[in-house]
Amino acid sequence: MKFSKFFLLSFISISLVSFRPISTKPLNNKNTSIYFASDQQQLESLMRKAYEWIETKKTQNDFDVVENKKGDRYVGLNLKTHDKIVEELKKSNFFAQQFIDNYNKIGLKIGDNLKTNKVKYFVGELPPYGNDSNPWCNCQDNPEAFWKTMKLNNLKIENNKAAFYWTWTEWKETPKYKVMAIKENGIWKIAHLEGFDSKIYF
């Protein structure tokens, strides 16, 4: 019994002597700090991620139209494709509701104008609405993966609203594409893009 007590006390003593507290010094003596991105950095990130999504994941047929039985004239909007894109815009989380509503309004109006013959669009001809270019960039061609080096210019922010235009740097010829964004619940979202101004379509 005495031997057991002696053994136990000896074990505790050795454990206490050999114990070393864990170092509280930071690894590699590097100071850590919390980093908050500026509004410009957040907006630049938004635009680059949004355009990568637009170019690589979004359904490409904006305002897709359907032909009549003769195949000589477009007589309406492909609602299945249109509704699919509207839903994609919502789920992407890059766009404010006002942009989505405007996009939907443009598509439905195009369809209605074709259906009622208010606008006539013949197969093989350029559409009688829009500006004959890709509305996402107001361009007919663009550099590969241009979103990676997209640059924001003339940024103005007031009351959680931002206005700016973007350019790309790969080519000398670049759009000066106007954008408006709004902050919703602390997150910047695209509210208006120049290529989807309703005045271009109606």
Side-chain angles (χ1 to χ4, degrees), residues 7-40:
F7 179 80
L8 180 62
L9 289 171
S10 298
F11 178 77
I12 293 172
S13 298
I14 292 169
S15 298
L16 290 172
V17 170
S18 62
F19 173 77
R20 291 183 181 179
I22 298 172
S23 175
T24 57
K25 293 181 181 179
L27 295 174
N28 300 326
N29 293 324
K30 289 183 179 179
N31 294 326
T32 56
S33 60
I34 298 173
Y35 175 73
F36 295 95
S38 68
D39 284 320
Q40 180 163 349

Side-chain angles (χ1 to χ4, degrees), residues 6-196:
F6 176 78
F7 179 80
L8 180 62
L9 289 171
S10 298
F11 178 77
I12 293 172
S13 298
I14 292 169
S15 298
L16 290 172
V17 170
S18 62
F19 173 77
R20 291 183 181 179
I22 298 172
S23 175
T24 57
K25 293 181 181 179
L27 295 174
N28 300 326
N29 293 324
K30 289 183 179 179
N31 294 326
T32 56
S33 60
I34 298 173
Y35 175 73
F36 295 95
S38 68
D39 284 320
Q40 180 163 349
Q41 289 169 323
Q42 291 176 39
L43 286 164
E44 186 176 82
S45 177
L46 166 67
M47 297 308 296
R48 289 183 175 181
K49 289 178 180 178
Y51 270 85
E52 180 178 12
W53 176 82
I54 290 162
E55 292 292 319
T56 63
K57 295 182 179 179
K58 174 190 157 293
T59 299
Q60 295 300 302
N61 299 329
D62 293 293
F63 313 133
D64 188 32
V65 289
V66 294
E67 301 175 5
N68 60 10
K69 291 181 179 180
K70 291 182 179 180
D72 63 347
R73 190 158 60 90
Y74 297 108
V75 292
L77 181 72
N78 184 335
L79 287 173
K80 185 177 180 179
T81 301
H82 179 72
D83 290 343
K84 180 183 178 183
I85 294 175
V86 169
E87 192 60 28
E88 289 175 351
L89 294 173
K90 290 178 183 178
K91 290 181 178 179
S92 74
N93 207 34
F94 295 129
F95 302 93
Q97 190 61 46
Q98 69 185 73
F99 178 87
I100 296 168
D101 290 343
N102 182 64
Y103 182 96
N104 187 46
K105 179 182 176 182
I106 291 171
L108 295 178
K109 188 67 175 178
I110 288 171
D112 185 60
N113 285 346
L114 292 172
K115 188 176 181 179
T116 59
N117 289 321
K118 187 174 182 180
V119 170
K120 292 185 178 182
Y121 180 8
F122 294 96
V123 175
E125 295 184 0
L126 292 172
Y129 48 79
N131 58 5
D132 302 331
S133 62
N134 180 347
W136 296 99
C137 60
N138 278 348
C139 62
Q140 294 181 342
D141 197 8
N142 54 262
E144 186 177 351
F146 65 88
W147 58 84
K148 291 182 179 180
T149 56
M150 183 179 284
K151 183 179 179 183
L152 272 55
N153 304 273
N154 200 30
L155 174 62
K156 296 178 182 177
I157 300 175
E158 186 176 353
N159 297 326
N160 289 329
K161 295 181 180 180
F164 56 92
Y165 66 87
W166 62 256
T167 58
W168 56 53
T169 58
E170 291 89 339
W171 295 351
K172 291 182 179 180
E173 294 295 327
T174 175
K176 286 188 174 181
Y177 192 90
K178 295 179 182 177
V179 181
M180 288 192 295
I182 60 174
K183 188 176 278 189
E184 294 182 345
N185 299 318
I187 300 173
W188 285 108
K189 293 187 178 183
I190 297 167
H192 179 79
L193 294 175
E194 178 183 340
F196 294 95

